[in-house]
Amino acid sequence: MSDLPPPPPSGGGFTPPPPPPPSGGGLTPPPPPPPPPPPPPAGGGYTPPPPPSGYVPPAPGGYAPVAAGYAAPRTDGLAIGALITGILAVVCFWICLGLILGPAAAIMGFISRQRIAASGGTVGGGGLALAGMILGIVGFVLTAAEVIWWIFVASATSTSSSP
């Protein structure tokens, strides 16, 4: 090969010479930095996917109530038993069950109220115990009045029928 430059292009074209080196040491400055990316949209930058057709998302829940972290005190089982027994004593007084169920309801209600008072608020049901105690007393009184009435009726009919 020869040390000769390549021949000029055919057609008489002119190629301009390269630009002269800049003054100041021959170094070119670095290109400017790219522009910053746009800020993310409000809401943390997450855009939820579109809902399927016909779907309506539920309303947001909002804030929880103030006392959401506290559990209600549990109800004393003896208070519930006193209420049920007291109701049965009143309803069944006419078949003399009030003589048995009435005192049982009153005693269970009394014991339950003592347990609730001693618990310091961890056990509830004081109203149930009081209602059971009252209904037990009412059932007992109704049954006792019925028994006295039957004794009176029986004695009145036996004395008036004798000749």
Side-chain angles (χ1 to χ4, degrees):
M1 300 231 167
S2 70
D3 292 331
L4 297 174
S10 62
F14 173 74
T15 308
S23 62
L27 297 176
T28 58
Y46 173 73
T47 306
S53 63
Y55 172 75
V56 177
Y63 293 106
V66 175
Y70 298 104
R74 63 180 181 86
T75 304
D76 189 26
L78 200 58
I80 297 171
L83 180 65
I84 293 171
T85 309
I87 291 172
L88 287 174
V90 169
V91 170
C92 300
F93 81 93
W94 53 276
I95 57 172
C96 293
L97 278 180
L99 289 177
I100 297 169
L101 297 178
I107 291 169
M108 287 194 306
F110 182 76
I111 292 172
S112 177
R113 285 181 52 90
Q114 285 182 338
R115 286 171 40 177
I116 292 168
S119 73
T122 59
V123 179
L128 298 176
L130 181 63
M133 198 164 63
I134 291 171
L135 288 174
I137 293 169
V138 168
F140 179 77
V141 168
L142 285 175
T143 306
E146 181 193 17
V147 168
I148 292 170
W149 184 75
W150 278 111
I151 292 173
F152 178 74
V153 168
S155 68
T157 56
S158 67
T159 56
S160 64
S161 64
S162 62

